[in-house]
Amino acid sequence: AGVIPFCPTGRPANTMPTFAPNDTLYVYAMKAPVWEFKFGDLLAKYHIMHDAMGFHHVQSGANFTMEWYELYQLFNCTFPHELKKNQLIWCNQGAACIYNGIDEKHWRQNGTLVKVAEINGTVFNKFANWTEYDNNTGVFYETWTVRTKPDGDLWFDSWECATWVLRAFKQMGTFGAKFNQSVRLNYTRMNIY
């Protein structure tokens, strides 16, 4: 899959930016209500948020947004569809994409845009390579976690935008990113028992 161009105003496929080793980038955690374009802040009242990451390249002033999305719309990824009797189709794939700019109004108005780290170009470039690897190996989208009962056997785990941001931050930390520990972010998981 590589880094693919399906986000709004997405960059061409596999054109992840790279930076000089000593460049400085600010890393942002970003949250906005799911389907804000249709329902405004309604889903924020229920803590149903879409998560993403932002980057600001200090030397050039360029901003980038990175999001992990379902490839075939949320409902297609969440539920299989019956085509004909006894035939199902389930397009439950997801991937990260990156595009130029950060829509500050979108993220701040009903959600969150907060700086969580500063990294150098070396860390970002390693993270960019990891992102392509992750897109090629973690290709499914799962809206919720399913267990037999609370704290029971796990049938399958959620794998969506918030879990991608958490995986991405963890991986960035292994490359040397130091996160601002005073920033507290909440992530909502949907569980089915």
Side-chain angles (χ1 to χ4, degrees):
V3 179
I4 56 180
F6 64 95
C7 280
T9 65
R11 296 170 58 92
N14 300 312
T15 59
M16 179 71 90
T18 57
F19 300 102
N22 292 323
D23 283 2
T24 301
L25 293 101
Y26 300 155
V27 181
Y28 296 93
M30 305 187 314
K31 295 172 169 291
V34 169
W35 294 324
E36 182 181 26
F37 66 91
K38 186 169 184 134
F39 301 115
D41 70 343
L42 175 66
L43 294 177
K45 293 172 180 23
Y46 301 98
H47 308 288
I48 301 173
M49 306 295 279
H50 173 67
D51 294 85
M53 300 171 60
F55 298 93
H56 172 74
H57 181 240
V58 172
Q59 284 72 20
S60 69
N63 292 321
F64 303 94
T65 296
M66 185 174 280
E67 302 188 61
W68 202 86
Y69 267 120
E70 64 284 343
L71 295 183
Y72 301 103
Q73 300 298 324
L74 183 59
F75 282 114
N76 293 327
C77 286
T78 303
F79 304 104
H81 299 277
E82 184 176 13
L83 297 177
K84 295 179 183 176
K85 191 172 182 170
N86 297 325
Q87 289 184 332
L88 294 177
I89 185 170
W90 195 356
C91 303
N92 63 335
Q93 292 182 303
C97 64
I98 188 167
Y99 54 94
N100 297 336
I102 295 175
D103 183 350
E104 291 189 32
K105 181 181 178 188
H106 167 74
W107 298 106
R108 287 185 196 275
Q109 187 171 19
N110 296 311
T112 300
L113 175 71
V114 61
K115 182 178 164 186
V116 294
E118 287 186 24
I119 60 174
N120 62 33
T122 298
V123 170
F124 182 88
N125 295 339
K126 288 179 180 179
F127 174 71
N129 288 333
W130 173 84
T131 300
E132 184 168 353
Y133 169 81
D134 189 66
N135 269 5
N136 287 323
T137 58
V139 298
F140 57 93
Y141 186 99
E142 186 55 57
T143 305
W144 36 58
T145 299
V146 178
R147 294 181 176 273
T148 55
K149 60 183 179 181
D151 297 322
D153 293 334
L154 178 68
W155 286 357
F156 49 91
D157 207 355
S158 56
W159 195 268
E160 29 63 24
C161 60
T163 56
W164 182 82
V165 169
L166 293 172
R167 285 194 335 269
F169 284 166
K170 182 178 180 180
Q171 193 64 43
M172 204 177 287
T174 68
F175 296 137
K178 304 291 184 220
F179 289 90
N180 180 346
Q181 299 299 311
S182 70
V183 175
R184 296 287 180 236
L185 299 167
N186 295 315
Y187 292 91
T188 302
R189 290 183 78 128
M190 291 196 273
N191 297 290
I192 297 177
Y193 307 107

